[in-house]
Amino acid sequence: MTQSGANSLIVLDFETTGLSPDMGDRAIEIGAVRLEKGQVVERFQALMNPGKPISSFIENYTGITNRMLNQAPPCDEVMDKFADFIEGSNLVAHNASFDKRFLDAELGRITRNYTGHFACSLLIARRLYQQAPNHKLGTLISFKNIPSGGDFHRALFDSEMTAKLWITMLEDISQLTRADEVPFTLVQKLTKTPKKSVKQFLQTIA
């Protein structure tokens, strides 16, 4: 059973061979952190061999090399363990539609599924921080003065940074609504609220 609080869930991030599993692209790394009451209590990170070489662009973009992947376990093996890790938890990713597509595709290959629901930190940020220069993860980390030290475009680091951004956004929502705990259903509704109506929506919650 999924937890109702938006501060207890799993934040995940994939690195992949390309943009779309429908075009034959595969996952090459998964990183995730489990939050309980806003604290990181567990991490998951694994490289996975997609069964084909990755492009020099992806090597340069992620820092993940073909040599690293040749020594990694196959996608099926990693994703089976990851399915166990996320079982019963709601899920968050930055640009969640991308990560959800790969999660669904990779788990579909091994006939595994999940019961949690997705929320998108990118969509929340677009509504909360409309004055930000853009809503890329690195930009938002700087915009909110969140400490960071590491390499973006590696899955565990990106998931940890997304988790920090997520908790910051929940704190901002709590201040705006005066709610002690932000329900997961509220953030899901916020992602579908037109930008011009966000203030009014949050005031109705307060």
Side-chain angles (χ1 to χ4, degrees), residues 24-115:
D25 289 313
R26 300 294 303 273
I28 58 173
E29 186 179 34
I30 180 68
V33 295
R34 185 189 304 279
L35 293 175
E36 287 184 9
K37 300 292 184 185
Q39 300 296 316
V40 175
V41 296
E42 195 175 0
R43 291 173 172 82
F44 186 106
Q45 185 275 332
L47 291 169
M48 53 188 119
N49 189 334
K52 60 182 180 180
I54 60 172
S55 68
S56 57
F57 172 81
I58 295 296
E59 282 193 318
N60 292 331
Y61 184 74
T62 63
I64 297 167
T65 65
N66 280 297
R67 184 175 181 180
M68 292 162 67
L69 294 176
N70 289 339
Q71 298 169 345
C75 293
D76 293 2
E77 188 179 312
V78 172
M79 292 308 299
D80 193 46
K81 292 177 181 175
F82 191 63
D84 292 338
F85 183 77
I86 64 174
E87 180 57 42
S89 296
N90 286 324
L91 307 167
V92 166
H94 201 69
N95 192 15
S97 62
F98 174 88
D99 295 279
K100 186 179 186 300
R101 282 198 301 273
F102 277 94
L103 181 65
D104 291 349
E106 293 295 349
L107 291 183
R109 286 173 173 269
I110 58 172
T111 61
R112 294 291 302 268
N113 54 26
Y114 55 95
T115 56

Side-chain angles (χ1 to χ4, degrees), residues 94-95 97 120-132 134-136 140 165 169 190-191 193-196 198:
H94 201 69
N95 192 15
S97 62
C120 180
S121 55
L122 173 63
L123 294 180
I124 295 287
R126 281 180 177 164
R127 282 149 180 82
L128 286 183
Y129 309 135
Q130 295 182 29
Q131 69 276 37
N134 61 58
H135 296 89
K136 294 177 182 177
L140 291 165
L165 175 66
M169 293 194 295
L190 184 56
T191 61
T193 302
K195 290 180 187 177
K196 66 179 187 298
V198 167

Side-chain angles (χ1 to χ4, degrees), residues 138-150:
T139 303
L140 291 165
I141 293 296
S142 298
F143 180 73
K144 292 301 292 181
N145 296 313
I146 297 170
S148 67

